[in-house]
Amino acid sequence: MSGKPRLIYLNGRGRMEPVRWLLAAAGVEFEEIFLETREQYEKLIRDGVLMFQQVPMVEIDGMKMVQTRAILSYIAGKYNLYGKDLKERALIDMYVEGITDLMQMILMFPFSTPEAKEKNIDSIKERATNRYFPVFEKVLKQHGQDFLVGNKFSWADVQLIEAILAVEEKIPAVLSGFPQLQAFKKRMSNMPTIKKFLQPGSPRKPPPDEHYVETVLKVFKK
């Protein structure tokens, strides 16, 4: 078995995509196993490798880790993307939790009914432009640095660039009133590890389509 982390999830974004982003940003290569059937998922449960009978699961450093937040915290700490002290870690945690709240809306969007999708797009836009993006615009302006915490690249920066690009897929002009975030997006997108992850053929997954939704329902819904 190689020393690379191994990711077990569906062949799509979902709750594993932030893990892919963070590993890629840290310059860490990883392997993936894709669940395609209910039987594969049930076998993991029978084998006792899913602590709470849920994926994502990441095999790393001899552990079979579950719970997205725990996985991300471990990776951030392991690859020095989690601040230099407790205060910086607390800031990173707050920023990450806020971004995760916004991303939850993006995560659930593909499962909306056709009738609800337009309303949900409006909700995402409202939350992004009035609640979440203004926070990061202000932080970057007051902080006067390239990154959100200290002057060092961290987990929070990775989560934010992922969120910006995900929201832009739905609302292309969403950053029009946020010059600091526009500059941040450009800086982050040109960092070598992130630039590589944004290229075609990388492990980054495309926006969820009907096949992805069908697979989720097939694997996880009894």
Side-chain angles (χ1 to χ4, degrees), residues 105-118:
M105 300 176 74
I106 300 283
L107 195 68
M108 298 311 297
F109 180 81
F111 302 93
S112 308
T113 63
E115 300 77 31
K117 284 195 170 175
E118 187 174 342

PDB file of all heavy atoms in Angstrom, residues 105-118:
ATOM      1  N   MET A 105     -25.513  25.244   1.379  1.00  0.00           N
ATOM      2  CA  MET A 105     -26.564  25.599   0.414  1.00  0.00           C
ATOM      3  C   MET A 105     -26.189  25.117  -0.991  1.00  0.00           C
ATOM      4  O   MET A 105     -27.035  24.625  -1.738  1.00  0.00           O
ATOM      5  CB  MET A 105     -26.782  27.112   0.422  1.00  0.00           C
ATOM      6  CG  MET A 105     -27.208  27.664   1.766  1.00  0.00           C
ATOM      7  SD  MET A 105     -27.339  29.467   1.751  1.00  0.00           S
ATOM      8  CE  MET A 105     -28.854  29.688   0.813  1.00  0.00           C
ATOM      9  N   ILE A 106     -24.913  25.258  -1.330  1.00  0.00           N
ATOM     10  CA  ILE A 106     -24.417  24.789  -2.634  1.00  0.00           C
ATOM     11  C   ILE A 106     -24.514  23.260  -2.707  1.00  0.00           C
ATOM     12  O   ILE A 106     -24.908  22.685  -3.724  1.00  0.00           O
ATOM     13  CB  ILE A 106     -22.954  25.225  -2.837  1.00  0.00           C
ATOM     14  CG1 ILE A 106     -22.819  26.746  -2.791  1.00  0.00           C
ATOM     15  CG2 ILE A 106     -22.383  24.663  -4.131  1.00  0.00           C
ATOM     16  CD1 ILE A 106     -23.248  27.485  -4.002  1.00  0.00           C
ATOM     17  N   LEU A 107     -24.171  22.617  -1.588  1.00  0.00           N
ATOM     18  CA  LEU A 107     -24.167  21.152  -1.522  1.00  0.00           C
ATOM     19  C   LEU A 107     -25.556  20.574  -1.780  1.00  0.00           C
ATOM     20  O   LEU A 107     -25.706  19.562  -2.463  1.00  0.00           O
ATOM     21  CB  LEU A 107     -23.669  20.729  -0.138  1.00  0.00           C
ATOM     22  CG  LEU A 107     -23.248  19.286   0.083  1.00  0.00           C
ATOM     23  CD1 LEU A 107     -21.982  18.966  -0.683  1.00  0.00           C
ATOM     24  CD2 LEU A 107     -23.024  19.030   1.577  1.00  0.00           C
ATOM     25  N   MET A 108     -26.563  21.232  -1.237  1.00  0.00           N
ATOM     26  CA  MET A 108     -27.931  20.711  -1.349  1.00  0.00           C
ATOM     27  C   MET A 108     -28.617  21.126  -2.639  1.00  0.00           C
ATOM     28  O   MET A 108     -29.639  20.543  -3.013  1.00  0.00           O
ATOM     29  CB  MET A 108     -28.764  21.180  -0.151  1.00  0.00           C
ATOM     30  CG  MET A 108     -28.252  20.680   1.193  1.00  0.00           C
ATOM     31  SD  MET A 108     -27.933  18.888   1.221  1.00  0.00           S
ATOM     32  CE  MET A 108     -29.594  18.264   0.930  1.00  0.00           C
ATOM     33  N   PHE A 109     -28.066  22.111  -3.340  1.00  0.00           N
ATOM     34  CA  PHE A 109     -28.732  22.657  -4.524  1.00  0.00           C
ATOM     35  C   PHE A 109     -29.085  21.601  -5.584  1.00  0.00           C
ATOM     36  O   PHE A 109     -30.203  21.604  -6.116  1.00  0.00           O
ATOM     37  CB  PHE A 109     -27.879  23.768  -5.152  1.00  0.00           C
ATOM     38  CG  PHE A 109     -28.513  24.376  -6.365  1.00  0.00           C
ATOM     39  CD1 PHE A 109     -29.499  25.336  -6.253  1.00  0.00           C
ATOM     40  CD2 PHE A 109     -28.130  23.975  -7.642  1.00  0.00           C
ATOM     41  CE1 PHE A 109     -30.104  25.897  -7.372  1.00  0.00           C
ATOM     42  CE2 PHE A 109     -28.724  24.511  -8.766  1.00  0.00           C
ATOM     43  CZ  PHE A 109     -29.710  25.480  -8.628  1.00  0.00           C
ATOM     44  N   PRO A 110     -28.179  20.669  -5.927  1.00  0.00           N
ATOM     45  CA  PRO A 110     -28.505  19.696  -6.981  1.00  0.00           C
ATOM     46  C   PRO A 110     -29.713  18.820  -6.654  1.00  0.00           C
ATOM     47  O   PRO A 110     -30.307  18.224  -7.554  1.00  0.00           O
ATOM     48  CB  PRO A 110     -27.238  18.846  -7.089  1.00  0.00           C
ATOM     49  CG  PRO A 110     -26.170  19.655  -6.471  1.00  0.00           C
ATOM     50  CD  PRO A 110     -26.812  20.478  -5.420  1.00  0.00           C
ATOM     51  N   PHE A 111     -30.054  18.743  -5.369  1.00  0.00           N
ATOM     52  CA  PHE A 111     -31.163  17.895  -4.958  1.00  0.00           C
ATOM     53  C   PHE A 111     -32.480  18.668  -4.857  1.00  0.00           C
ATOM     54  O   PHE A 111     -33.500  18.120  -4.443  1.00  0.00           O
ATOM     55  CB  PHE A 111     -30.824  17.220  -3.619  1.00  0.00           C
ATOM     56  CG  PHE A 111     -29.571  16.396  -3.687  1.00  0.00           C
ATOM     57  CD1 PHE A 111     -28.338  16.955  -3.347  1.00  0.00           C
ATOM     58  CD2 PHE A 111     -29.603  15.089  -4.142  1.00  0.00           C
ATOM     59  CE1 PHE A 111     -27.172  16.211  -3.439  1.00  0.00           C
ATOM     60  CE2 PHE A 111     -28.439  14.335  -4.229  1.00  0.00           C
ATOM     61  CZ  PHE A 111     -27.221  14.899  -3.891  1.00  0.00           C
ATOM     62  N   SER A 112     -32.456  19.953  -5.248  1.00  0.00           N
ATOM     63  CA  SER A 112     -33.667  20.772  -5.259  1.00  0.00           C
ATOM     64  C   SER A 112     -34.590  20.313  -6.377  1.00  0.00           C
ATOM     65  O   SER A 112     -34.142  19.818  -7.415  1.00  0.00           O
ATOM     66  CB  SER A 112     -33.331  22.248  -5.502  1.00  0.00           C
ATOM     67  OG  SER A 112     -32.349  22.715  -4.626  1.00  0.00           O
ATOM     68  N   THR A 113     -35.866  20.506  -6.187  1.00  0.00           N
ATOM     69  CA  THR A 113     -36.815  20.277  -7.282  1.00  0.00           C
ATOM     70  C   THR A 113     -36.615  21.362  -8.332  1.00  0.00           C
ATOM     71  O   THR A 113     -36.131  22.456  -8.013  1.00  0.00           O
ATOM     72  CB  THR A 113     -38.259  20.332  -6.776  1.00  0.00           C
ATOM     73  OG1 THR A 113     -38.524  21.659  -6.280  1.00  0.00           O
ATOM     74  CG2 THR A 113     -38.504  19.310  -5.670  1.00  0.00           C
ATOM     75  N   PRO A 114     -36.976  21.086  -9.579  1.00  0.00           N
ATOM     76  CA  PRO A 114     -36.836  22.114 -10.618  1.00  0.00           C
ATOM     77  C   PRO A 114     -37.546  23.412 -10.242  1.00  0.00           C
ATOM     78  O   PRO A 114     -37.043  24.505 -10.519  1.00  0.00           O
ATOM     79  CB  PRO A 114     -37.480  21.464 -11.849  1.00  0.00           C
ATOM     80  CG  PRO A 114     -37.312  19.995 -11.627  1.00  0.00           C
ATOM     81  CD  PRO A 114     -37.450  19.801 -10.142  1.00  0.00           C
ATOM     82  N   GLU A 115     -38.685  23.287  -9.584  1.00  0.00           N
ATOM     83  CA  GLU A 115     -39.447  24.477  -9.194  1.00  0.00           C
ATOM     84  C   GLU A 115     -38.711  25.309  -8.146  1.00  0.00           C
ATOM     85  O   GLU A 115     -38.851  26.531  -8.101  1.00  0.00           O
ATOM     86  CB  GLU A 115     -40.822  24.067  -8.625  1.00  0.00           C
ATOM     87  CG  GLU A 115     -41.722  23.297  -9.580  1.00  0.00           C
ATOM     88  CD  GLU A 115     -41.307  21.838  -9.733  1.00  0.00           C
ATOM     89  OE1 GLU A 115     -40.769  21.271  -8.761  1.00  0.00           O
ATOM     90  OE2 GLU A 115     -41.491  21.288 -10.847  1.00  0.00           O
ATOM     91  N   ALA A 116     -37.937  24.642  -7.294  1.00  0.00           N
ATOM     92  CA  ALA A 116     -37.268  25.340  -6.190  1.00  0.00           C
ATOM     93  C   ALA A 116     -35.916  25.926  -6.574  1.00  0.00           C
ATOM     94  O   ALA A 116     -35.376  26.758  -5.845  1.00  0.00           O
ATOM     95  CB  ALA A 116     -37.086  24.382  -5.012  1.00  0.00           C
ATOM     96  N   LYS A 117     -35.378  25.510  -7.724  1.00  0.00           N
ATOM     97  CA  LYS A 117     -33.993  25.889  -8.034  1.00  0.00           C
ATOM     98  C   LYS A 117     -33.805  27.399  -8.182  1.00  0.00           C
ATOM     99  O   LYS A 117     -32.818  27.949  -7.685  1.00  0.00           O
ATOM    100  CB  LYS A 117     -33.505  25.135  -9.273  1.00  0.00           C
ATOM    101  CG  LYS A 117     -33.184  23.686  -8.945  1.00  0.00           C
ATOM    102  CD  LYS A 117     -32.380  22.967  -9.991  1.00  0.00           C
ATOM    103  CE  LYS A 117     -31.916  21.622  -9.435  1.00  0.00           C
ATOM    104  NZ  LYS A 117     -31.229  20.789 -10.396  1.00  0.00           N
ATOM    105  N   GLU A 118     -34.735  28.066  -8.841  1.00  0.00           N
ATOM    106  CA  GLU A 118     -34.580  29.518  -9.011  1.00  0.00           C
ATOM    107  C   GLU A 118     -34.610  30.225  -7.659  1.00  0.00           C
ATOM    108  O   GLU A 118     -33.802  31.110  -7.393  1.00  0.00           O
ATOM    109  CB  GLU A 118     -35.685  30.058  -9.918  1.00  0.00           C
ATOM    110  CG  GLU A 118     -35.484  31.529 -10.270  1.00  0.00           C
ATOM    111  CD  GLU A 118     -36.507  32.028 -11.300  1.00  0.00           C
ATOM    112  OE1 GLU A 118     -37.138  31.206 -11.988  1.00  0.00           O
ATOM    113  OE2 GLU A 118     -36.658  33.257 -11.408  1.00  0.00           O
TER     114      GLU A 118
END
